[in-house]
């Protein structure tokens, strides 16, 4: 199975829930050898167990590919507890951080972490032949309320070879 050049990923709530909501959560274990989530982030994702994303995340736990650890939050201002835990865990494991929040991305990059967002996962999946096209999925995300600017929309389609 083809994987990205990174073996480990630590995910924050936003990307995990977005991928679960659109039924593409299975891209993570196809792209990464290990997928980790801080316990605090997991609790945030499972607060509404009746939702499809929470059910898919729970299934990932049951299947055993989503690894949970209790970690303390990294000490930094301006980020929520989940983001701080995810950054701390990624630093501890030497993992890629999967996060969409702009401020969290900036903090993580300043600390030397490799950062990937939900859209980046989709581009990787397309490049590895796991998705035929990402345009419909990204459009569904936009239509469903996931904020994706027009610039980001066009850039991700360009990166996936679907521009125009």
């Amino acid at each position: 199975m083809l994987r990205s050049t990174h073996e480990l990923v630590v995910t924050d709530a936003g990307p995990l829930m977005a991928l679960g909501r659109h039924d593409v959560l299975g891209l993570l274990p196809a792209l990464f050898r290990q997928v980790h989530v801080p316990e605090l982030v997991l609790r945030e994702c499972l607060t509404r167990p009746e939702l499809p994303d929470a059910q898919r995340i729970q299934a990932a736990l049951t299947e055993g590919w989503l690894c949970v650890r209790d970690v303390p939050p990294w000490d930094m201002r301006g980020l929520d507890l989940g983001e701080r835990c995810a950054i701390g865990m990624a630093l501890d494991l030497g993992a890629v951080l999967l996060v969409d929040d702009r401020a969290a991305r900036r903090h993580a990059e300043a600390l030397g972490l490799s950062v990937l967002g939900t859209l980046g996962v989709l581009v990787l999946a397309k490049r590895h032949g796991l998705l035929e096209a990402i345009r419909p999925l990204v459009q569904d995300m936009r239509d469903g309320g996931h904020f994706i600017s027009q610039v980001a929309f066009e850039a991700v389609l360009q990166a996936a070879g679907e521009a125009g």
Side-chain angles (χ1 to χ4, degrees), residues 9-29 32 34-47 51-61 65-68 82 86 89 97-101 116-119 121-122 141 146:
V9 68
V10 171
T11 183
D12 186 37
L16 197 60
M17 293 167 69
L19 294 169
R21 187 175 308 116
H22 294 280
D23 202 13
V24 290
L25 197 56
L27 294 174
L28 293 178
F32 299 95
Q34 293 181 11
V35 182
H36 295 267
V37 62
E39 185 176 332
L40 186 122
V41 170
L42 180 65
R43 284 194 309 246
E44 182 181 337
C45 294
L46 299 178
T47 56
L51 295 178
D53 53 307
Q55 293 168 7
R56 291 177 181 126
I57 293 166
Q58 185 61 55
L61 290 169
W65 63 258
L66 185 59
C67 307
V68 183
M89 182 185 270
L97 178 65
L98 179 53
V99 64
D100 287 334
D101 180 80
L116 189 64
T118 302
L119 299 178
V121 169
L122 300 180
M141 288 180 168
H146 195 99

Side-chain angles (χ1 to χ4, degrees), residues 64-76:
W65 63 258
L66 185 59
C67 307
V68 183
R69 279 189 28 204
D70 187 18
V71 295
W74 192 257
D75 186 20
M76 59 184 69

Side-chain angles (χ1 to χ4, degrees), residues 104-115:
R105 292 173 70 94
R106 280 194 303 249
H107 275 80
E109 288 167 346
L111 292 168
L113 286 171
S114 294
V115 178

Side-chain angles (χ1 to χ4, degrees), residues 136-160:
L137 187 54
V138 176
Q139 188 61 56
D140 282 350
M141 288 180 168
R142 287 180 92 184
D143 294 345
H146 195 99
F147 176 74
I148 301 169
S149 71
Q150 187 61 32
V151 170
F153 181 72
E154 291 171 9
V156 76
L157 294 180
Q158 174 96 26

